[in-house]
Every structure is written in C-alpha cells, then in structure tokens.
Amino acid sequence: MTYVFNPAPQVVVPTSDGREFPVRRIYCVGRNYVEHAQEMGFSGREPPFFFLKPADTVVPVAEGQTGAIDYPSLTQNLHHEIELVVAIGKGGRDIAAAAAAGHIWGYAVGLDMTRRDLQGEMKKQGRPWCIGKAFEQSAPIGVLHPIGKTGELKSGAITLKVNGELRQKGDLAQLIWNVAETIEHLSRAWTLQPGDLIYTGTPAGVNAVVKGDVMEGAIDGLGTLRVAVK
Ligand code: MN
C-alpha cells in the first residue's frame, strides 16, 4: 500500500501510568447538569443528547504544565465548559448501565471549548452545532487516570477557575444522566470502541475567556488541567 500522502499522526492522550491512550472519537453530552441546563434556558429534564468533535481537536496537557490554545476564528464569545471525560477501553453496543463500568478505561479533566455566539446562531436556525463546538483545539484534556486507580467516579467536586477566580463549581453526583446511564444511551446510538472519549457535560457558570486568560480545571482525584488562551 502506498499512501497518497503521509497519514496524520495518531492523536494520543498521556496516561498517569506513563503510557499513551490513542483517541478514536470524541462524544459530548449536552446539558447534563440541571443548573447549566437552566442557565441555557431549558428545564433539565430532557433525555440525554449528543454531539461529536473530531479526534484531532484534542489538546493534551501534562499534569503541572500549562497548555495553550489559540483564540479561535469567527467568534466574539469563546466559552469554557469544564467536564469529566470518560475514556472507553472496551467497546460495545447496547451496554446496560449496570455493565458500563467494565467498559471504562479511565477518566480525565477536560474542557469543551465553545464558540457560544456561533452555537447560539445555529440553534436559532435549527442547524447543526459543528461550527460552535467542533473547531480546532476545542477539546483540551488532562492526563488520563485508569479506573483501577481511581475507582468508579460517582461523586466529587468539579471546578473551573479563570485567572484564579472561581467560575464553575459542581459535583459529579449532580449529573442528570450519570456516567453509566450516559454509556447506556450512547451505546444504543453508536457502537463504542476502545479509544472513544466521552465529555460528560458541564456544571453551571459557563462564561467567556479572552486572550491572555488562564483556565484551571480540577476534579477530585484527577488532578488539574491548566490551559492558557493565546
Ligand atoms: Mn459541554
């Protein structure tokens, strides 16, 4: 086989045990904390829904380092959404919630960066969210921690500071659809495979960042994710 050009390198996320997790797809859950759903103008009682980002939107950031993203084109309103990221290690379809933990490789702190103005315009017109959500460098992520070390995460503080000021604060126990239920719903619609990442939704307090801001996200047991906007 001769490629027409060299294929893009495999996207990877470093793991806390010194390896690299090869990324296949990035699934994201919309409006999965009640107060965030309400701040976006919804009741918080709708079934889970999903969108995707391309794998190469990932920006891996090592623990203790400050990653960087470029302020993206076309937007005047770049928002942070701090999220628990679940990494799938064993694929499957129609996975029951009770069996979901067996499909999880591990967890990380992630940011679902959003061009809110473009997303809002697409929503208003009933068009896909891609331009608001699936742009380059829109999925920063910290080190992945294996479930064997963390245990199954069902609660724990999730926070985001910008320039040291607290912007978002919640608890994983407040997820409307918990991780197991999310995997159950998601695996009815798509066949999950090893390498898939699931951004599980953000708590209330989403807001804008500008060039020069430094975001610092944290989840109990998963360390911190620090990212500067260039
Ligand atoms: Mn999100």
Side-chain angles (χ1 to χ4, degrees):
M1 166 72 80
T2 304
Y3 289 119
V4 170
F5 47 81
N6 291 330
Q10 173 65 52
V11 174
V12 297
V13 177
T15 66
S16 64
D17 59 6
R19 296 186 287 164
E20 290 184 324
F21 181 92
V23 178
R24 191 183 82 114
R25 290 182 183 169
I26 305 173
Y27 295 100
C28 303
V29 187
R31 297 177 210 134
N32 204 14
Y33 289 80
V34 171
E35 287 176 24
H36 173 63
Q38 288 169 346
E39 76 181 347
M40 299 306 285
F42 296 85
S43 72
R45 292 197 174 77
E46 58 185 27
F49 68 94
F50 307 100
F51 58 91
L52 288 93
K53 297 190 188 227
D56 66 0
T57 60
V58 154
V59 180
V61 182
E63 183 68 33
Q65 302 290 305
T66 303
I69 58 171
D70 297 305
Y71 195 91
S73 62
L74 299 180
T75 185
Q76 312 293 323
N77 198 16
L78 177 66
H79 271 205
H80 52 74
E81 295 192 356
I82 188 70
E83 309 204 356
L84 170 69
V85 182
V86 176
I88 297 296
K90 182 185 163 202
R93 55 192 293 193
D94 297 324
I95 298 165
H103 294 261
I104 297 172
W105 187 87
Y107 305 97
V109 182
L111 278 163
D112 166 17
M113 299 305 296
T114 302
R115 292 192 283 207
R116 190 72 73 200
D117 42 358
L118 300 183
Q119 182 201 26
E121 191 57 36
M122 292 300 106
K123 276 187 197 174
K124 210 185 304 171
Q125 298 185 39
R127 291 179 177 170
W129 288 8
C130 310
I131 201 167
K133 287 289 195 180
F135 53 95
E136 280 87 11
Q137 302 182 317
S138 62
I141 186 170
V143 171
L144 272 168
H145 298 260
I147 192 171
K149 287 274 170 58
T150 61
E152 193 179 351
L153 292 187
K154 294 182 174 173
S155 63
I158 173 169
T159 57
L160 181 83
K161 293 177 183 172
V162 177
N163 305 329
E165 176 196 319
L166 188 65
R167 290 272 190 94
Q168 292 189 261
K169 186 179 189 337
D171 193 289
L172 301 180
Q174 298 166 332
L175 281 165
I176 297 169
W177 302 94
N178 66 32
V179 169
E181 291 165 336
T182 295
I183 289 173
E184 179 172 291
H185 278 91
L186 191 56
S187 68
R188 285 181 193 151
W190 290 274
T191 301
L192 296 180
Q193 298 286 1
D196 290 340
L197 298 177
I198 306 168
Y199 281 60
T200 56
T202 197
V206 298
N207 212 327
V209 285
V210 296
K211 280 184 189 179
D213 282 349
V214 177
M215 301 174 282
E216 186 170 303
I219 297 175
D220 281 351
L222 301 179
T224 60
L225 166 63
R226 195 177 303 113
V227 181
V229 183
K230 287 192 297 182

